[in-house]
Coordinates of all heavy atoms in Angstrom, one line a residue:
M1 N 0.8 -1.2 0.0 CA 0.0 0.0 0.0 C 0.9 1.2 0.0 O 1.8 1.4 0.8 CB -0.9 0.0 1.3 CG -1.9 1.0 1.3 SD -3.0 0.8 2.7 CE -3.4 2.5 3.1
T2 N 0.6 2.1 -0.9 CA 1.4 3.4 -1.0 C 0.8 4.5 -0.2 O -0.5 4.5 -0.1 CB 1.6 3.9 -2.4 OG1 0.3 3.8 -3.1 CG2 2.6 3.0 -3.2
A3 N 1.6 5.3 0.4 CA 1.1 6.4 1.2 C 0.3 7.4 0.4 O 0.7 7.7 -0.8 CB 2.2 7.1 1.9
L4 N -0.8 7.9 0.9 CA -1.5 8.9 0.2 C -0.7 10.2 0.1 O 0.0 10.5 1.0 CB -2.8 9.2 1.0 CG -3.9 10.0 0.3 CD1 -4.5 9.2 -0.8 CD2 -5.0 10.4 1.3
L5 N -0.7 10.8 -1.1 CA 0.0 12.1 -1.3 C 1.5 12.0 -1.3 O 2.2 12.9 -1.1 CB -0.4 13.2 -0.3 CG -1.9 13.5 -0.2 CD1 -2.1 14.6 0.9 CD2 -2.4 14.1 -1.5
S6 N 2.0 10.7 -1.5 CA 3.4 10.6 -1.6 C 3.8 10.8 -3.0 O 3.4 10.1 -3.9 CB 3.8 9.2 -1.1 OG 5.1 9.0 -1.3
P7 N 4.6 11.9 -3.2 CA 5.0 12.2 -4.6 C 6.0 11.2 -5.2 O 6.8 10.6 -4.5 CB 5.6 13.6 -4.5 CG 6.1 13.7 -3.1 CD 5.2 12.8 -2.2
E8 N 6.0 11.1 -6.5 CA 6.9 10.3 -7.2 C 8.2 11.1 -7.3 O 8.2 12.3 -7.6 CB 6.3 10.1 -8.6 CG 7.2 9.2 -9.5 CD 6.5 9.1 -10.9 OE1 5.3 9.2 -11.0 OE2 7.3 9.1 -11.9
I9 N 9.4 10.5 -7.0 CA 10.6 11.2 -7.0 C 11.5 10.7 -8.1 O 11.8 9.4 -8.1 CB 11.3 11.2 -5.7 CG1 10.4 11.9 -4.6 CG2 12.7 11.9 -5.7 CD1 11.0 11.9 -3.2
D10 N 12.0 11.5 -9.0 CA 12.9 11.1 -10.1 C 14.3 11.8 -9.8 O 14.3 13.0 -9.4 CB 12.4 11.6 -11.4 CG 11.4 10.6 -12.0 OD1 11.4 9.4 -11.5 OD2 10.7 11.0 -12.9
T11 N 15.4 11.2 -10.2 CA 16.7 11.8 -10.2 C 17.0 12.1 -11.6 O 16.9 11.2 -12.5 CB 17.7 10.9 -9.5 OG1 17.3 10.6 -8.2 CG2 19.1 11.7 -9.4
V12 N 17.4 13.4 -11.9 CA 17.8 13.7 -13.3 C 19.2 14.2 -13.3 O 19.8 14.7 -12.3 CB 16.8 14.8 -13.8 CG1 15.4 14.3 -13.9 CG2 16.9 16.1 -13.0
G13 N 19.9 14.2 -14.5 CA 21.3 14.6 -14.6 C 21.5 16.0 -14.3 O 22.4 16.4 -13.6
E14 N 20.7 16.9 -14.9 CA 21.0 18.3 -14.7 C 19.6 19.1 -14.8 O 18.9 18.8 -15.7 CB 22.0 18.8 -15.7 CG 22.5 20.2 -15.4 CD 23.5 20.7 -16.5 OE1 23.8 20.0 -17.4 OE2 23.9 21.9 -16.3
L15 N 19.4 20.1 -14.0 CA 18.3 20.9 -14.1 C 18.7 22.3 -14.7 O 19.7 22.8 -14.3 CB 17.6 21.2 -12.8 CG 17.0 19.9 -12.1 CD1 16.5 20.2 -10.7 CD2 15.8 19.4 -13.0
T16 N 17.9 22.8 -15.6 CA 18.3 24.1 -16.2 C 17.5 25.3 -15.7 O 17.8 26.4 -16.0 CB 18.1 24.0 -17.8 OG1 16.7 23.6 -18.0 CG2 19.0 23.0 -18.4
D17 N 16.5 25.0 -14.8 CA 15.7 26.1 -14.3 C 16.4 26.9 -13.2 O 17.5 26.5 -12.8 CB 14.4 25.5 -13.7 CG 13.3 25.3 -14.7 OD1 13.5 25.6 -15.9 OD2 12.2 24.9 -14.3
R18 N 15.8 28.0 -12.9 CA 16.3 28.8 -11.8 C 15.3 28.8 -10.6 O 14.1 28.7 -10.9 CB 16.4 30.3 -12.3 CG 17.5 30.4 -13.3 CD 18.8 30.8 -12.8 NE 19.9 30.4 -13.6 CZ 21.2 30.4 -13.2 NH1 21.5 30.8 -11.9 NH2 22.2 30.0 -13.9
C19 N 15.8 28.9 -9.4 CA 15.0 28.9 -8.2 C 13.9 30.0 -8.4 O 14.3 31.2 -8.7 CB 15.8 29.1 -7.0 SG 14.9 29.3 -5.5
D20 N 12.6 29.7 -8.1 CA 11.6 30.7 -8.2 C 11.7 31.7 -7.0 O 11.0 32.8 -7.1 CB 10.2 30.0 -8.2 CG 9.9 29.3 -9.5 OD1 10.2 29.9 -10.5 OD2 9.4 28.1 -9.4
R21 N 12.4 31.4 -6.0 CA 12.5 32.3 -4.8 C 13.7 33.3 -4.9 O 13.6 34.4 -4.6 CB 12.6 31.5 -3.5 CG 11.5 30.5 -3.3 CD 10.2 31.3 -3.1 NE 9.1 30.4 -3.2 CZ 8.3 30.0 -2.2 NH1 8.5 30.5 -1.0 NH2 7.3 29.2 -2.4
C22 N 14.8 32.8 -5.4 CA 16.0 33.6 -5.3 C 16.8 33.6 -6.6 O 17.8 34.4 -6.7 CB 16.9 33.1 -4.2 SG 17.7 31.5 -4.5
G23 N 16.5 32.8 -7.6 CA 17.1 32.9 -8.9 C 18.4 32.1 -9.0 O 19.1 32.1 -10.1
A24 N 18.8 31.4 -8.0 CA 20.0 30.5 -8.0 C 19.6 29.3 -8.9 O 18.5 29.0 -9.2 CB 20.4 30.1 -6.6
A25 N 20.6 28.6 -9.3 CA 20.4 27.4 -10.1 C 19.5 26.4 -9.3 O 19.8 26.1 -8.2 CB 21.8 26.7 -10.4
A26 N 18.5 25.8 -10.0 CA 17.6 24.9 -9.4 C 18.3 23.6 -9.1 O 19.0 23.1 -10.0 CB 16.4 24.8 -10.2
K27 N 18.0 23.0 -8.0 CA 18.4 21.6 -7.6 C 17.2 20.7 -7.6 O 17.4 19.5 -7.5 CB 19.1 21.6 -6.3 CG 20.4 22.4 -6.3 CD 21.5 21.8 -7.1 CE 22.8 22.5 -7.1 NZ 23.7 22.0 -8.1
L28 N 16.0 21.3 -7.6 CA 14.8 20.4 -7.4 C 13.7 21.1 -8.1 O 13.5 22.3 -8.0 CB 14.5 20.3 -5.9 CG 13.3 19.5 -5.5 CD1 13.6 18.7 -4.2 CD2 12.1 20.3 -5.3
E29 N 12.9 20.3 -8.9 CA 11.7 20.8 -9.6 C 10.5 20.1 -9.1 O 10.6 18.9 -8.8 CB 11.8 20.6 -11.1 CG 12.7 21.6 -11.8 CD 12.7 21.3 -13.3 OE1 12.2 20.3 -13.7 OE2 13.3 22.1 -14.0
V30 N 9.4 20.8 -8.9 CA 8.2 20.2 -8.4 C 7.1 20.3 -9.4 O 6.8 21.4 -9.9 CB 7.8 20.9 -7.1 CG1 6.5 20.3 -6.5 CG2 8.9 20.9 -6.1
V31 N 6.4 19.2 -9.8 CA 5.2 19.3 -10.5 C 4.1 19.3 -9.5 O 4.0 18.3 -8.7 CB 5.1 18.1 -11.5 CG1 3.8 18.2 -12.3 CG2 6.3 18.1 -12.5
L32 N 3.2 20.3 -9.6 CA 2.2 20.4 -8.6 C 1.0 19.6 -8.9 O 0.6 19.3 -10.0 CB 1.7 21.9 -8.5 CG 2.8 22.9 -8.3 CD1 2.3 24.3 -8.4 CD2 3.5 22.7 -7.0
T33 N 0.3 19.2 -7.8 CA -0.9 18.4 -8.0 C -2.0 19.2 -8.7 O -2.9 18.7 -9.4 CB -1.5 17.9 -6.6 OG1 -1.6 19.1 -5.8 CG2 -0.6 16.9 -6.0
S34 N -1.9 20.6 -8.6 CA -2.8 21.5 -9.2 C -2.4 21.8 -10.7 O -3.1 22.7 -11.3 CB -2.9 22.8 -8.4 OG -1.6 23.4 -8.3
G35 N -1.4 21.2 -11.2 CA -0.8 21.5 -12.5 C 0.4 22.4 -12.3 O 0.8 22.6 -11.2
G36 N 1.0 23.0 -13.3 CA 2.1 23.9 -13.1 C 3.3 23.3 -12.5 O 3.3 22.1 -12.1
D37 N 4.3 24.0 -12.3 CA 5.5 23.5 -11.6 C 6.3 24.7 -11.0 O 6.1 25.8 -11.3 CB 6.4 22.7 -12.6 CG 6.7 23.4 -13.8 OD1 7.2 24.6 -13.8 OD2 6.5 22.8 -14.9
L38 N 7.2 24.3 -10.1 CA 8.0 25.2 -9.4 C 9.4 24.7 -9.4 O 9.6 23.5 -9.5 CB 7.6 25.3 -7.9 CG 6.2 26.0 -7.6 CD1 5.9 25.9 -6.2 CD2 6.3 27.5 -8.0
A39 N 10.4 25.6 -9.2 CA 11.8 25.2 -9.1 C 12.4 25.8 -7.9 O 12.1 26.9 -7.5 CB 12.6 25.6 -10.4
F40 N 13.3 25.0 -7.2 CA 14.0 25.5 -6.0 C 15.4 25.2 -6.0 O 15.9 24.2 -6.5 CB 13.4 24.8 -4.8 CG 11.9 25.1 -4.5 CD1 10.9 24.3 -5.0 CD2 11.6 26.2 -3.8 CE1 9.6 24.5 -4.7 CE2 10.2 26.5 -3.5 CZ 9.2 25.6 -4.0
C41 N 16.2 26.2 -5.5 CA 17.7 25.9 -5.3 C 17.8 24.9 -4.1 O 16.8 24.6 -3.4 CB 18.4 27.2 -5.0 SG 17.9 28.0 -3.5
G42 N 19.0 24.5 -3.8 CA 19.2 23.6 -2.7 C 18.7 24.2 -1.4 O 18.0 23.5 -0.6
H43 N 19.0 25.4 -1.1 CA 18.7 26.1 0.1 C 17.2 26.1 0.3 O 16.6 25.8 1.3 CB 19.3 27.5 0.1 CG 18.8 28.4 1.2 ND1 19.3 28.3 2.4 CD2 17.9 29.4 1.2 CE1 18.7 29.2 3.2 NE2 17.9 29.9 2.5
H44 N 16.4 26.6 -0.8 CA 15.0 26.7 -0.6 C 14.3 25.4 -0.7 O 13.2 25.2 -0.1 CB 14.5 27.7 -1.7 CG 14.7 29.1 -1.3 ND1 15.6 29.9 -2.1 CD2 14.3 29.9 -0.3 CE1 15.7 31.1 -1.5 NE2 14.9 31.1 -0.4
A45 N 14.8 24.4 -1.4 CA 14.2 23.1 -1.5 C 14.2 22.5 -0.1 O 13.3 21.8 0.4 CB 15.0 22.2 -2.4
N46 N 15.3 22.7 0.7 CA 15.4 22.1 2.0 C 14.5 22.9 3.0 O 13.8 22.4 3.8 CB 16.8 22.1 2.5 CG 17.6 21.0 1.8 OD1 17.0 20.0 1.4 ND2 18.9 21.1 1.7
R47 N 14.5 24.2 2.9 CA 13.7 25.1 3.8 C 12.2 24.8 3.6 O 11.5 24.8 4.6 CB 14.0 26.5 3.5 CG 13.3 27.4 4.5 CD 13.2 28.9 4.1 NE 14.5 29.5 4.3 CZ 14.6 30.9 4.2 NH1 13.6 31.6 3.8 NH2 15.7 31.4 4.4
H48 N 11.8 24.6 2.4 CA 10.3 24.4 2.1 C 10.0 22.9 1.9 O 8.9 22.6 1.4 CB 9.9 25.2 0.9 CG 10.1 26.6 1.0 ND1 9.4 27.4 1.9 CD2 11.0 27.5 0.4 CE1 9.8 28.7 1.8 NE2 10.8 28.8 0.9
R49 N 10.8 22.0 2.4 CA 10.6 20.6 2.1 C 9.2 20.1 2.6 O 8.6 19.3 1.9 CB 11.7 19.7 2.7 CG 11.8 19.8 4.2 CD 13.0 19.0 4.7 NE 13.1 19.0 6.1 CZ 13.7 20.0 6.8 NH1 14.1 21.1 6.2 NH2 13.8 20.0 8.1
A50 N 8.7 20.5 3.7 CA 7.4 20.1 4.2 C 6.3 20.5 3.3 O 5.4 19.7 2.9 CB 7.1 20.6 5.6
D51 N 6.3 21.8 2.8 CA 5.3 22.3 1.9 C 5.4 21.6 0.5 O 4.4 21.3 -0.1 CB 5.5 23.8 1.7 CG 5.1 24.5 3.0 OD1 4.2 24.1 3.7 OD2 5.8 25.5 3.3
I52 N 6.6 21.4 0.1 CA 6.9 20.7 -1.2 C 6.2 19.4 -1.2 O 5.5 19.0 -2.2 CB 8.4 20.7 -1.6 CG1 8.9 22.1 -1.8 CG2 8.6 19.7 -2.7 CD1 10.4 22.1 -1.9
A53 N 6.5 18.6 -0.2 CA 5.9 17.2 -0.1 C 4.4 17.3 -0.2 O 3.7 16.3 -0.7 CB 6.4 16.5 1.1
K54 N 3.8 18.3 0.4 CA 2.3 18.4 0.4 C 1.7 18.7 -0.9 O 0.6 18.3 -1.2 CB 1.9 19.5 1.4 CG 1.7 19.0 2.8 CD 1.2 20.1 3.7 CE 2.2 20.5 4.8 NZ 1.9 21.7 5.5
I55 N 2.4 19.6 -1.7 CA 1.8 20.1 -3.0 C 2.2 19.3 -4.2 O 1.7 19.5 -5.3 CB 2.0 21.6 -3.1 CG1 3.5 21.8 -3.2 CG2 1.4 22.4 -2.0 CD1 3.9 23.3 -3.5
A56 N 3.3 18.5 -4.1 CA 3.9 17.9 -5.2 C 3.2 16.6 -5.7 O 2.8 15.8 -4.9 CB 5.3 17.5 -5.0
S57 N 3.0 16.4 -7.0 CA 2.6 15.1 -7.5 C 3.9 14.4 -8.0 O 3.9 13.2 -8.0 CB 1.6 15.3 -8.6 OG 2.2 15.9 -9.8
K58 N 4.9 15.2 -8.4 CA 6.1 14.6 -8.9 C 7.3 15.6 -8.5 O 7.1 16.8 -8.6 CB 6.0 14.5 -10.4 CG 7.0 13.6 -11.0 CD 6.6 13.3 -12.5 CE 7.6 12.3 -13.1 NZ 7.2 11.9 -14.4
I59 N 8.4 15.0 -8.2 CA 9.6 15.8 -7.8 C 10.8 15.3 -8.7 O 11.0 14.1 -8.7 CB 9.9 15.7 -6.3 CG1 8.8 16.3 -5.5 CG2 11.2 16.4 -6.0 CD1 8.9 16.0 -4.0
R60 N 11.5 16.3 -9.3 CA 12.7 15.9 -10.0 C 13.9 16.5 -9.2 O 13.9 17.7 -8.9 CB 12.7 16.5 -11.4 CG 11.8 15.7 -12.3 CD 12.0 16.2 -13.8 NE 11.5 17.5 -14.0 CZ 10.2 17.7 -14.4 NH1 9.4 16.7 -14.6 NH2 9.8 18.9 -14.5
I61 N 14.9 15.7 -8.9 CA 16.0 16.1 -8.1 C 17.3 16.0 -8.9 O 17.5 14.9 -9.6 CB 16.2 15.3 -6.8 CG1 14.9 15.5 -5.9 CG2 17.4 15.7 -6.0 CD1 14.9 14.6 -4.7
E62 N 18.1 17.0 -8.9 CA 19.4 16.9 -9.7 C 20.3 15.9 -9.0 O 20.4 15.9 -7.8 CB 20.0 18.3 -9.7 CG 21.3 18.3 -10.6 CD 21.8 19.6 -10.9 OE1 21.2 20.3 -11.8 OE2 22.8 20.0 -10.3
D63 N 20.9 15.1 -9.9 CA 21.8 14.0 -9.4 C 22.8 14.6 -8.5 O 23.5 15.6 -8.8 CB 22.4 13.4 -10.6 CG 23.1 12.1 -10.2 OD1 22.7 11.5 -9.2 OD2 24.0 11.6 -11.0
G64 N 23.0 14.1 -7.3 CA 24.0 14.5 -6.4 C 23.5 15.5 -5.3 O 24.2 15.7 -4.3
F65 N 22.3 16.0 -5.5 CA 21.7 16.9 -4.5 C 21.0 16.0 -3.4 O 20.1 15.2 -3.7 CB 20.7 17.9 -5.1 CG 19.9 18.7 -4.1 CD1 20.6 19.4 -3.1 CD2 18.6 18.7 -4.1 CE1 19.9 20.1 -2.1 CE2 17.8 19.5 -3.2 CZ 18.5 20.1 -2.2
D66 N 21.4 16.2 -2.2 CA 20.9 15.4 -1.1 C 19.7 16.2 -0.4 O 20.0 16.9 0.5 CB 22.0 15.1 -0.1 CG 21.6 14.1 1.0 OD1 20.6 13.4 0.8 OD2 22.2 14.1 2.1
W67 N 18.5 16.0 -0.9 CA 17.4 16.7 -0.4 C 17.0 16.2 0.9 O 16.8 15.0 1.2 CB 16.2 16.6 -1.4 CG 15.0 17.4 -1.0 CD1 15.1 18.7 -0.6 CD2 13.7 17.1 -1.1 NE1 13.8 19.2 -0.3 CE2 12.9 18.2 -0.7 CE3 13.0 15.9 -1.5 CZ2 11.5 18.2 -0.6 CZ3 11.6 15.9 -1.5 CH2 10.9 17.0 -1.0
A68 N 16.7 17.2 1.9 CA 16.4 16.8 3.2 C 15.0 16.3 3.3 O 14.6 15.7 4.3 CB 16.5 18.1 4.1
G69 N 14.1 16.5 2.3 CA 12.7 16.1 2.3 C 12.5 14.7 1.8 O 11.4 14.2 1.8
K70 N 13.5 14.0 1.4 CA 13.4 12.6 0.8 C 13.0 11.6 1.9 O 13.4 11.7 3.0 CB 14.7 12.2 0.2 CG 14.7 12.3 -1.3 CD 15.8 11.5 -2.0 CE 17.2 12.1 -1.7 NZ 18.2 11.6 -2.6
Ligands
ZN1 ZN1 16.4 29.7 -3.8

């Protein structure tokens, strides 16, 4: 049995987006359950990890980034 609201997590080679909060290189991208998507740098991905897990249907993490929300 899979947990309700548990997002699918993929590891990708490189992300080309910029963090939506500060403009740094994105380390994590979120596809929202409501559609749309967001990108976060390492700092913001970790700071907002609880919110990201709640709103994400899918998460892409750059290879080598150790996300605290995993
Ligand atoms: Zn940021």
